[in-house]
Amino acid sequence: MTSDTNAIIRLSRSVIGEEEKAAVVRVLDRAFLGMGSEVQNFERELAAYMDTDRPVHCVNTGTSALHLAVEALGIGPGDEVLVPSITYVASFQAISATGATPVACEVRGDTAYIDVDDAARRVTSRTRAIMPVHYASSVKGIDDVYNLARAKGLRVIEDAAHAFGCRVGNGLVGASGDIVCFSFDGIKNITSGEGGAVVTGDADVARYVATARLLAVENDTEKRFSGERSWVFDVLHQGHRHHMSDIMAAIGRAQLKKIDQFGEIRRNLARGYQAALADTADLTLLDYEYTTAIPHIFPVRIGNGRRDGLMDHLRANQIQCGLHYGPNHLLTYFRTDYALPIAETLGRELLSLPLHPLVTDDDQRRIVATVKDYLNNHG
Ligand SMILES: Cc1ncc(COP(=O)(O)O)c(C=O)c1O
């Protein structure tokens, strides 16, 4: 396929085909749009894909998944949760929504993954959990997180928003680990429009999530999956309107069938960037391998204060780029009284290049040429 040299190349996008459209029409025609058999089937298919016996509970966003996971552990006011400063603000908001304090931690310069030594120094008597983020779909560093958690008696909530379909150890992310939360928002490795899921081997946490997503109405999941409703019920704890709908699940089910195809394209694009950008002035690749990962984003570091200039140059050439992410500990609501120098440097240097299944080889050549033209030839 050739690309129009003036067409905008998008940073990310949903890739929706006739299958997703037909699946939504099928649900619309049934005239039951809420949480029912479509969600149940999506949950079963997700578990089968991950090759796990663990239950999968689908919710309306990845943020809700994280929020319910934190709440399910009984974490709330007075408690602290360790979290890397470089992440989407969703991780921080999910923690603070419970009344707990997100404790911003340093990240590693080579991967942007949570720096476990820094996290260890921030453990106090109030620390209950650690929330590693599989930034850019890399799980490098997760073993150190579990070692720290074991040593300090912490629970682990994996923010796997970027890592659906990625491998860890001998299986897929979600098949192991304490509590794993996914996002299926519009631009993730697969989408359900908006959506998310919680996977855990802890039966109490799983039960809590199943109930709390439906306003904590007892046994409502089972009822809805058999086409009924709870009319007379009890409520034992806080609940939320966080469940997934059948319309969303229908999109997700169609997308799940395409995960291998999407994964292959994303991996090849990431490898293509790595090969083409290896020797570019002021550009440092992050230390990732794309043998099995399905990369959600492709961030690089742009040094020497040239990041913003490169962004302007890319935009002027109709190429979108992104900032994943500014450090959360510098946001007014989450501001810390301590510095995190590496996170702050990354906040000035990170720039994400277009990555989605519709980026063509020609697009990628144009992106690489534009980046190199600016970094090697300008200034
Ligand atoms: C690292 C990270 N955590 C959490 C989320 C939240 O997911 P959602 O957008 O589905 O609420 C996102 C999504 O952008 C994310 O990138």
Side-chain angles (χ1 to χ4, degrees):
M1 222 191 297
T2 54
S3 65
D4 174 352
T5 47
N6 291 317
I8 290 181
I9 303 178
R10 286 170 62 172
L11 172 66
S12 49
R13 58 167 292 163
S14 314
V15 180
I16 296 295
E18 293 308 316
E19 301 80 4
E20 288 82 356
K21 292 179 194 167
V24 169
V25 169
R26 187 165 39 76
V27 171
L28 294 176
D29 284 344
R30 277 209 300 264
F32 179 88
L33 312 184
M35 180 168 130
S37 60
E38 206 70 23
V39 173
Q40 183 178 33
N41 285 328
F42 188 34
E43 290 179 348
R44 287 178 176 157
E45 287 161 11
L46 287 166
Y49 170 74
M50 286 184 254
D51 194 19
T52 181
D53 295 335
R54 298 167 154 208
V56 175
H57 291 301
C58 283
V59 290
N60 57 354
T61 63
T63 308
S64 298
L66 293 168
H67 176 209
L68 291 177
V70 178
E71 195 178 84
L73 295 173
I75 293 172
D79 295 328
E80 295 176 354
V81 178
L82 304 166
V83 58
S85 184
I86 296 293
T87 180
Y88 191 41
V89 69
S91 321
F92 276 67
Q93 291 282 22
I95 296 166
S96 60
T98 67
T101 304
V103 175
C105 297
E106 188 58 289
V107 293
R108 294 177 49 114
D110 56 347
T111 55
Y113 209 78
I114 191 166
D115 177 334
V116 172
D117 295 332
D118 181 80
R121 287 192 287 274
R122 301 194 188 284
V123 174
T124 71
S125 58
R126 294 178 296 281
T127 312
R128 301 279 314 280
I130 181 166
M131 184 184 284
V133 176
H134 300 326
Y135 178 82
S137 314
S138 172
V139 293
K140 243 186 203 176
I142 189 65
D143 292 343
D144 296 335
V145 169
Y146 276 98
N147 288 337
L148 174 68
R150 263 189 297 275
K152 303 285 185 185
L154 307 179
R155 298 299 297 259
V156 180
I157 301 161
E158 296 181 33
D159 181 339
H162 294 190
F164 184 74
C166 298
R167 294 194 77 79
V168 63
N170 295 324
L172 290 182
V173 173
S176 61
D178 190 358
I179 308 173
V180 183
C181 298
F182 294 107
S183 162
F184 305 130
D185 75 23
I187 57 167
K188 290 299 192 296
N189 285 349
I190 62 166
T191 184
S192 53
E194 297 284 357
V198 181
V199 193
T200 177
D202 181 327
D204 291 336
V205 169
R207 203 173 307 113
Y208 186 94
V209 169
T211 309
R213 67 179 166 176
L214 283 159
L215 297 169
V217 171
E218 284 278 281
N219 302 320
D220 212 19
T221 286
E222 295 79 355
K223 287 263 170 51
R224 285 170 187 250
F225 284 171
S226 56
E228 295 169 37
R229 274 290 291 275
S230 294
W231 295 113
V232 180
F233 53 80
D234 199 9
V235 165
L236 303 180
H237 53 75
Q238 180 63 53
H240 305 277
R241 199 74 162 148
H242 277 358
H243 63 85
M244 184 176 269
S245 78
D246 270 9
I247 297 182
M248 301 159 91
I251 300 172
R253 294 181 72 195
Q255 287 266 301
L256 185 57
K257 295 198 175 80
K258 302 178 180 178
I259 182 76
D260 292 341
Q261 176 198 334
F262 287 165
E264 189 65 16
I265 301 172
R266 285 180 176 275
R267 252 191 309 278
N268 284 338
L269 284 167
R271 286 203 205 107
Y273 277 133
Q274 279 185 324
L277 294 171
D279 295 308
T280 307
D282 296 323
L283 184 151
T284 308
L285 296 166
L286 292 168
D287 186 15
Y288 304 140
E289 286 165 42
Y290 297 107
T291 40
T292 56
I294 301 183
H296 160 55
I297 52 173
F298 192 84
V300 294
R301 293 179 63 167
I302 306 295
N304 263 332
R306 303 183 73 195
R307 195 266 313 265
D308 293 353
L310 175 59
M311 288 190 77
D312 290 343
H313 183 70
L314 287 166
R315 285 182 186 138
N317 283 279
Q318 309 279 55
I319 297 168
Q320 292 182 348
C321 48
L323 299 181
H324 298 99
Y325 300 95
N328 283 275
H329 73 278
L330 299 183
L331 298 172
T332 304
Y333 191 51
F334 296 114
R335 195 178 300 274
T336 55
D337 58 7
Y338 52 87
L340 295 172
I342 298 173
E344 288 163 30
T345 301
L346 286 183
R348 290 188 295 271
E349 294 191 353
L350 286 170
L351 175 139
S352 300
L353 297 173
L355 185 70
H356 57 77
L358 297 186
V359 174
T360 65
D361 290 347
D362 279 352
D363 289 338
Q364 188 168 47
R365 273 191 285 275
R366 198 176 118 203
I367 296 160
V368 166
T370 310
V371 169
K372 292 193 139 182
D373 172 52
Y374 182 82
L375 291 177
N376 291 337
N377 303 329
H378 287 57

mmCIF file of all heavy atoms in Angstrom, residues 9-43:
data_model
loop_
_atom_site.group_PDB
_atom_site.id
_atom_site.type_symbol
_atom_site.label_atom_id
_atom_site.label_comp_id
_atom_site.label_asym_id
_atom_site.label_seq_id
_atom_site.Cartn_x
_atom_site.Cartn_y
_atom_site.Cartn_z
ATOM 1 N N ILE A 9 -0.817 11.323 9.519
ATOM 2 C CA ILE A 9 -0.576 10.008 10.112
ATOM 3 C C ILE A 9 -0.946 10.114 11.579
ATOM 4 O O ILE A 9 -0.369 10.914 12.323
ATOM 5 C CB ILE A 9 0.891 9.558 9.949
ATOM 6 C CG1 ILE A 9 1.281 9.535 8.470
ATOM 7 C CG2 ILE A 9 1.086 8.183 10.581
ATOM 8 C CD1 ILE A 9 2.733 9.155 8.216
ATOM 9 N N ARG A 10 -1.926 9.323 11.977
ATOM 10 C CA ARG A 10 -2.414 9.420 13.353
ATOM 11 C C ARG A 10 -1.501 8.681 14.321
ATOM 12 O O ARG A 10 -0.919 7.653 13.988
ATOM 13 C CB ARG A 10 -3.843 8.875 13.434
ATOM 14 C CG ARG A 10 -4.841 9.834 12.811
ATOM 15 C CD ARG A 10 -6.205 9.234 12.670
ATOM 16 N NE ARG A 10 -6.803 8.864 13.964
ATOM 17 C CZ ARG A 10 -8.063 8.450 14.087
ATOM 18 N NH1 ARG A 10 -8.836 8.357 13.030
ATOM 19 N NH2 ARG A 10 -8.541 8.129 15.272
ATOM 20 N N LEU A 11 -1.427 9.219 15.523
ATOM 21 C CA LEU A 11 -0.611 8.603 16.580
ATOM 22 C C LEU A 11 -1.171 7.231 16.958
ATOM 23 O O LEU A 11 -0.433 6.265 17.127
ATOM 24 C CB LEU A 11 -0.621 9.531 17.812
ATOM 25 C CG LEU A 11 0.013 8.987 19.081
ATOM 26 C CD1 LEU A 11 1.513 8.784 18.895
ATOM 27 C CD2 LEU A 11 -0.258 9.910 20.261
ATOM 28 N N SER A 12 -2.473 7.176 17.095
ATOM 29 C CA SER A 12 -3.141 5.934 17.483
ATOM 30 C C SER A 12 -4.576 6.027 16.976
ATOM 31 O O SER A 12 -5.035 7.115 16.640
ATOM 32 C CB SER A 12 -3.119 5.768 19.003
ATOM 33 O OG SER A 12 -3.553 6.960 19.613
ATOM 34 N N ARG A 13 -5.254 4.924 16.905
ATOM 35 C CA ARG A 13 -6.639 4.951 16.449
ATOM 36 C C ARG A 13 -7.293 3.601 16.706
ATOM 37 O O ARG A 13 -6.622 2.586 16.849
ATOM 38 C CB ARG A 13 -6.751 5.305 14.965
ATOM 39 C CG ARG A 13 -5.998 4.371 14.032
ATOM 40 C CD ARG A 13 -6.419 4.590 12.596
ATOM 41 N NE ARG A 13 -7.796 4.170 12.398
ATOM 42 C CZ ARG A 13 -8.542 4.519 11.355
ATOM 43 N NH1 ARG A 13 -8.037 5.290 10.406
ATOM 44 N NH2 ARG A 13 -9.778 4.081 11.231
ATOM 45 N N SER A 14 -8.620 3.615 16.738
ATOM 46 C CA SER A 14 -9.366 2.353 16.792
ATOM 47 C C SER A 14 -9.340 1.757 15.392
ATOM 48 O O SER A 14 -9.390 2.490 14.404
ATOM 49 C CB SER A 14 -10.827 2.604 17.178
ATOM 50 O OG SER A 14 -10.908 3.490 18.264
ATOM 51 N N VAL A 15 -9.268 0.440 15.318
ATOM 52 C CA VAL A 15 -9.329 -0.238 14.018
ATOM 53 C C VAL A 15 -10.550 -1.153 14.048
ATOM 54 O O VAL A 15 -10.525 -2.246 14.611
ATOM 55 C CB VAL A 15 -8.030 -1.020 13.749
ATOM 56 C CG1 VAL A 15 -8.114 -1.727 12.400
ATOM 57 C CG2 VAL A 15 -6.835 -0.072 13.771
ATOM 58 N N ILE A 16 -11.624 -0.644 13.483
ATOM 59 C CA ILE A 16 -12.924 -1.313 13.563
ATOM 60 C C ILE A 16 -13.338 -1.781 12.169
ATOM 61 O O ILE A 16 -13.320 -0.997 11.223
ATOM 62 C CB ILE A 16 -13.987 -0.310 14.112
ATOM 63 C CG1 ILE A 16 -13.637 0.104 15.548
ATOM 64 C CG2 ILE A 16 -15.404 -0.890 14.031
ATOM 65 C CD1 ILE A 16 -13.680 -1.006 16.562
ATOM 66 N N GLY A 17 -13.703 -3.040 12.063
ATOM 67 C CA GLY A 17 -14.108 -3.587 10.764
ATOM 68 C C GLY A 17 -15.583 -3.965 10.737
ATOM 69 O O GLY A 17 -16.345 -3.665 11.660
ATOM 70 N N GLU A 18 -15.951 -4.638 9.663
ATOM 71 C CA GLU A 18 -17.349 -5.059 9.498
ATOM 72 C C GLU A 18 -17.771 -6.015 10.613
ATOM 73 O O GLU A 18 -18.939 -6.053 11.005
ATOM 74 C CB GLU A 18 -17.533 -5.732 8.128
ATOM 75 C CG GLU A 18 -17.370 -4.782 6.946
ATOM 76 C CD GLU A 18 -18.238 -3.521 7.068
ATOM 77 O OE1 GLU A 18 -19.421 -3.652 7.439
ATOM 78 O OE2 GLU A 18 -17.721 -2.414 6.823
ATOM 79 N N GLU A 19 -16.819 -6.804 11.127
ATOM 80 C CA GLU A 19 -17.150 -7.791 12.165
ATOM 81 C C GLU A 19 -17.666 -7.099 13.424
ATOM 82 O O GLU A 19 -18.659 -7.527 14.027
ATOM 83 C CB GLU A 19 -15.910 -8.634 12.523
ATOM 84 C CG GLU A 19 -15.306 -9.413 11.365
ATOM 85 C CD GLU A 19 -14.420 -8.561 10.447
ATOM 86 O OE1 GLU A 19 -14.209 -7.361 10.746
ATOM 87 O OE2 GLU A 19 -13.950 -9.099 9.434
ATOM 88 N N GLU A 20 -16.983 -6.021 13.827
ATOM 89 C CA GLU A 20 -17.409 -5.292 15.033
ATOM 90 C C GLU A 20 -18.780 -4.653 14.793
ATOM 91 O O GLU A 20 -19.651 -4.684 15.668
ATOM 92 C CB GLU A 20 -16.394 -4.197 15.399
ATOM 93 C CG GLU A 20 -15.078 -4.703 15.974
ATOM 94 C CD GLU A 20 -14.096 -5.155 14.914
ATOM 95 O OE1 GLU A 20 -14.455 -5.158 13.705
ATOM 96 O OE2 GLU A 20 -12.956 -5.518 15.278
ATOM 97 N N LYS A 21 -18.958 -4.091 13.584
ATOM 98 C CA LYS A 21 -20.238 -3.430 13.289
ATOM 99 C C LYS A 21 -21.373 -4.455 13.333
ATOM 100 O O LYS A 21 -22.431 -4.214 13.920
ATOM 101 C CB LYS A 21 -20.186 -2.754 11.923
ATOM 102 C CG LYS A 21 -19.232 -1.569 11.890
ATOM 103 C CD LYS A 21 -19.199 -0.953 10.499
ATOM 104 C CE LYS A 21 -18.013 -0.015 10.368
ATOM 105 N NZ LYS A 21 -17.745 0.369 8.984
ATOM 106 N N ALA A 22 -21.146 -5.621 12.720
ATOM 107 C CA ALA A 22 -22.183 -6.663 12.697
ATOM 108 C C ALA A 22 -22.481 -7.144 14.119
ATOM 109 O O ALA A 22 -23.639 -7.412 14.468
ATOM 110 C CB ALA A 22 -21.721 -7.832 11.828
ATOM 111 N N ALA A 23 -21.442 -7.241 14.937
ATOM 112 C CA ALA A 23 -21.637 -7.721 16.317
ATOM 113 C C ALA A 23 -22.492 -6.740 17.111
ATOM 114 O O ALA A 23 -23.362 -7.142 17.891
ATOM 115 C CB ALA A 23 -20.281 -7.923 16.991
ATOM 116 N N VAL A 24 -22.260 -5.444 16.898
ATOM 117 C CA VAL A 24 -23.059 -4.438 17.610
ATOM 118 C C VAL A 24 -24.505 -4.492 17.134
ATOM 119 O O VAL A 24 -25.445 -4.459 17.944
ATOM 120 C CB VAL A 24 -22.465 -3.021 17.418
ATOM 121 C CG1 VAL A 24 -23.424 -1.954 17.925
ATOM 122 C CG2 VAL A 24 -21.124 -2.912 18.133
ATOM 123 N N VAL A 25 -24.696 -4.636 15.833
ATOM 124 C CA VAL A 25 -26.072 -4.705 15.291
ATOM 125 C C VAL A 25 -26.789 -5.924 15.882
ATOM 126 O O VAL A 25 -27.966 -5.860 16.241
ATOM 127 C CB VAL A 25 -26.036 -4.747 13.744
ATOM 128 C CG1 VAL A 25 -27.413 -5.095 13.184
ATOM 129 C CG2 VAL A 25 -25.546 -3.410 13.190
ATOM 130 N N ARG A 26 -26.058 -7.018 16.008
ATOM 131 C CA ARG A 26 -26.644 -8.245 16.584
ATOM 132 C C ARG A 26 -27.179 -7.951 17.995
ATOM 133 O O ARG A 26 -28.298 -8.338 18.348
ATOM 134 C CB ARG A 26 -25.564 -9.334 16.605
ATOM 135 C CG ARG A 26 -26.021 -10.699 17.012
ATOM 136 C CD ARG A 26 -24.992 -11.797 16.647
ATOM 137 N NE ARG A 26 -23.595 -11.437 16.842
ATOM 138 C CZ ARG A 26 -22.968 -11.376 18.006
ATOM 139 N NH1 ARG A 26 -23.609 -11.635 19.115
ATOM 140 N NH2 ARG A 26 -21.686 -11.049 18.070
ATOM 141 N N VAL A 27 -26.403 -7.229 18.783
ATOM 142 C CA VAL A 27 -26.851 -6.895 20.149
ATOM 143 C C VAL A 27 -28.013 -5.906 20.097
ATOM 144 O O VAL A 27 -29.008 -6.065 20.821
ATOM 145 C CB VAL A 27 -25.673 -6.322 20.984
ATOM 146 C CG1 VAL A 27 -26.185 -5.770 22.312
ATOM 147 C CG2 VAL A 27 -24.621 -7.392 21.218
ATOM 148 N N LEU A 28 -27.914 -4.923 19.225
ATOM 149 C CA LEU A 28 -29.002 -3.933 19.126
ATOM 150 C C LEU A 28 -30.305 -4.622 18.748
ATOM 151 O O LEU A 28 -31.369 -4.322 19.285
ATOM 152 C CB LEU A 28 -28.655 -2.850 18.098
ATOM 153 C CG LEU A 28 -27.476 -1.933 18.433
ATOM 154 C CD1 LEU A 28 -27.191 -0.979 17.279
ATOM 155 C CD2 LEU A 28 -27.724 -1.150 19.718
ATOM 156 N N ASP A 29 -30.204 -5.586 17.833
ATOM 157 C CA ASP A 29 -31.409 -6.291 17.393
ATOM 158 C C ASP A 29 -32.025 -7.125 18.515
ATOM 159 O O ASP A 29 -33.232 -7.358 18.528
ATOM 160 C CB ASP A 29 -31.087 -7.201 16.190
ATOM 161 C CG ASP A 29 -30.944 -6.388 14.907
ATOM 162 O OD1 ASP A 29 -31.389 -5.220 14.898
ATOM 163 O OD2 ASP A 29 -30.378 -6.909 13.928
ATOM 164 N N ARG A 30 -31.189 -7.573 19.424
ATOM 165 C CA ARG A 30 -31.718 -8.344 20.563
ATOM 166 C C ARG A 30 -32.456 -7.435 21.542
ATOM 167 O O ARG A 30 -33.172 -7.896 22.417
ATOM 168 C CB ARG A 30 -30.578 -9.049 21.294
ATOM 169 C CG ARG A 30 -30.170 -10.363 20.673
ATOM 170 C CD ARG A 30 -29.605 -11.327 21.723
ATOM 171 N NE ARG A 30 -28.426 -10.821 22.401
ATOM 172 C CZ ARG A 30 -27.167 -11.104 22.054
ATOM 173 N NH1 ARG A 30 -26.941 -11.898 21.042
ATOM 174 N NH2 ARG A 30 -26.162 -10.631 22.734
ATOM 175 N N ALA A 31 -32.169 -6.132 21.445
ATOM 176 C CA ALA A 31 -32.822 -5.126 22.286
ATOM 177 C C ALA A 31 -32.570 -5.359 23.772
ATOM 178 O O ALA A 31 -33.386 -5.005 24.618
ATOM 179 C CB ALA A 31 -34.323 -5.036 21.999
ATOM 180 N N PHE A 32 -31.434 -5.963 24.090
ATOM 181 C CA PHE A 32 -30.958 -6.006 25.472
ATOM 182 C C PHE A 32 -29.529 -5.492 25.445
ATOM 183 O O PHE A 32 -28.627 -6.159 24.924
ATOM 184 C CB PHE A 32 -31.009 -7.425 26.053
ATOM 185 C CG PHE A 32 -30.487 -7.466 27.465
ATOM 186 C CD1 PHE A 32 -31.339 -7.227 28.546
ATOM 187 C CD2 PHE A 32 -29.133 -7.664 27.720
ATOM 188 C CE1 PHE A 32 -30.847 -7.205 29.846
ATOM 189 C CE2 PHE A 32 -28.636 -7.641 29.017
ATOM 190 C CZ PHE A 32 -29.502 -7.415 30.077
ATOM 191 N N LEU A 33 -29.351 -4.295 25.946
ATOM 192 C CA LEU A 33 -28.065 -3.628 25.738
ATOM 193 C C LEU A 33 -27.161 -3.660 26.968
ATOM 194 O O LEU A 33 -25.981 -3.348 26.883
ATOM 195 C CB LEU A 33 -28.301 -2.164 25.345
ATOM 196 C CG LEU A 33 -29.332 -1.918 24.243
ATOM 197 C CD1 LEU A 33 -29.381 -0.430 23.893
ATOM 198 C CD2 LEU A 33 -29.035 -2.741 23.004
ATOM 199 N N GLY A 34 -27.727 -3.997 28.108
ATOM 200 C CA GLY A 34 -26.974 -3.905 29.373
ATOM 201 C C GLY A 34 -25.973 -5.028 29.528
ATOM 202 O O GLY A 34 -25.406 -5.530 28.559
ATOM 203 N N MET A 35 -25.736 -5.455 30.760
ATOM 204 C CA MET A 35 -24.769 -6.532 31.004
ATOM 205 C C MET A 35 -25.503 -7.865 30.984
ATOM 206 O O MET A 35 -26.336 -8.135 31.834
ATOM 207 C CB MET A 35 -24.069 -6.334 32.345
ATOM 208 C CG MET A 35 -23.058 -7.430 32.635
ATOM 209 S SD MET A 35 -21.992 -7.040 34.021
ATOM 210 C CE MET A 35 -22.142 -8.537 34.962
ATOM 211 N N GLY A 36 -25.184 -8.691 30.009
ATOM 212 C CA GLY A 36 -25.846 -9.983 29.883
ATOM 213 C C GLY A 36 -24.914 -11.014 29.272
ATOM 214 O O GLY A 36 -23.701 -11.001 29.532
ATOM 215 N N SER A 37 -25.473 -11.858 28.414
ATOM 216 C CA SER A 37 -24.715 -13.018 27.917
ATOM 217 C C SER A 37 -23.488 -12.633 27.092
ATOM 218 O O SER A 37 -22.491 -13.351 27.055
ATOM 219 C CB SER A 37 -25.635 -13.892 27.066
ATOM 220 O OG SER A 37 -26.123 -13.128 25.969
ATOM 221 N N GLU A 38 -23.559 -11.467 26.441
ATOM 222 C CA GLU A 38 -22.411 -11.037 25.627
ATOM 223 C C GLU A 38 -21.198 -10.774 26.536
ATOM 224 O O GLU A 38 -20.068 -11.144 26.195
ATOM 225 C CB GLU A 38 -22.816 -9.761 24.864
ATOM 226 C CG GLU A 38 -22.070 -9.528 23.599
ATOM 227 C CD GLU A 38 -22.387 -10.486 22.455
ATOM 228 O OE1 GLU A 38 -23.475 -11.102 22.425
ATOM 229 O OE2 GLU A 38 -21.514 -10.636 21.590
ATOM 230 N N VAL A 39 -21.438 -10.140 27.667
ATOM 231 C CA VAL A 39 -20.345 -9.887 28.623
ATOM 232 C C VAL A 39 -19.835 -11.218 29.168
ATOM 233 O O VAL A 39 -18.616 -11.450 29.248
ATOM 234 C CB VAL A 39 -20.817 -8.964 29.774
ATOM 235 C CG1 VAL A 39 -19.732 -8.838 30.844
ATOM 236 C CG2 VAL A 39 -21.172 -7.575 29.237
ATOM 237 N N GLN A 40 -20.756 -12.103 29.498
ATOM 238 C CA GLN A 40 -20.328 -13.410 30.020
ATOM 239 C C GLN A 40 -19.450 -14.136 28.993
ATOM 240 O O GLN A 40 -18.396 -14.688 29.330
ATOM 241 C CB GLN A 40 -21.558 -14.265 30.344
ATOM 242 C CG GLN A 40 -21.209 -15.599 30.965
ATOM 243 C CD GLN A 40 -22.443 -16.410 31.320
ATOM 244 O OE1 GLN A 40 -23.461 -16.336 30.626
ATOM 245 N NE2 GLN A 40 -22.366 -17.170 32.391
ATOM 246 N N ASN A 41 -19.864 -14.113 27.740
ATOM 247 C CA ASN A 41 -19.062 -14.773 26.701
ATOM 248 C C ASN A 41 -17.706 -14.102 26.518
ATOM 249 O O ASN A 41 -16.689 -14.771 26.350
ATOM 250 C CB ASN A 41 -19.827 -14.771 25.368
ATOM 251 C CG ASN A 41 -20.941 -15.798 25.370
ATOM 252 O OD1 ASN A 41 -20.819 -16.845 26.011
ATOM 253 N ND2 ASN A 41 -22.037 -15.496 24.694
ATOM 254 N N PHE A 42 -17.697 -12.781 26.556
ATOM 255 C CA PHE A 42 -16.419 -12.062 26.425
ATOM 256 C C PHE A 42 -15.488 -12.458 27.572
ATOM 257 O O PHE A 42 -14.297 -12.738 27.352
ATOM 258 C CB PHE A 42 -16.676 -10.552 26.415
ATOM 259 C CG PHE A 42 -15.476 -9.692 26.101
ATOM 260 C CD1 PHE A 42 -14.479 -10.108 25.208
ATOM 261 C CD2 PHE A 42 -15.333 -8.435 26.689
ATOM 262 C CE1 PHE A 42 -13.382 -9.299 24.909
ATOM 263 C CE2 PHE A 42 -14.239 -7.619 26.394
ATOM 264 C CZ PHE A 42 -13.269 -8.054 25.512
ATOM 265 N N GLU A 43 -16.031 -12.533 28.774
ATOM 266 C CA GLU A 43 -15.194 -12.899 29.931
ATOM 267 C C GLU A 43 -14.623 -14.305 29.762
ATOM 268 O O GLU A 43 -13.441 -14.552 30.019
ATOM 269 C CB GLU A 43 -16.013 -12.803 31.225
ATOM 270 C CG GLU A 43 -16.345 -11.353 31.575
ATOM 271 C CD GLU A 43 -17.168 -11.188 32.842
ATOM 272 O OE1 GLU A 43 -17.697 -12.206 33.356
ATOM 273 O OE2 GLU A 43 -17.285 -10.039 33.315
#
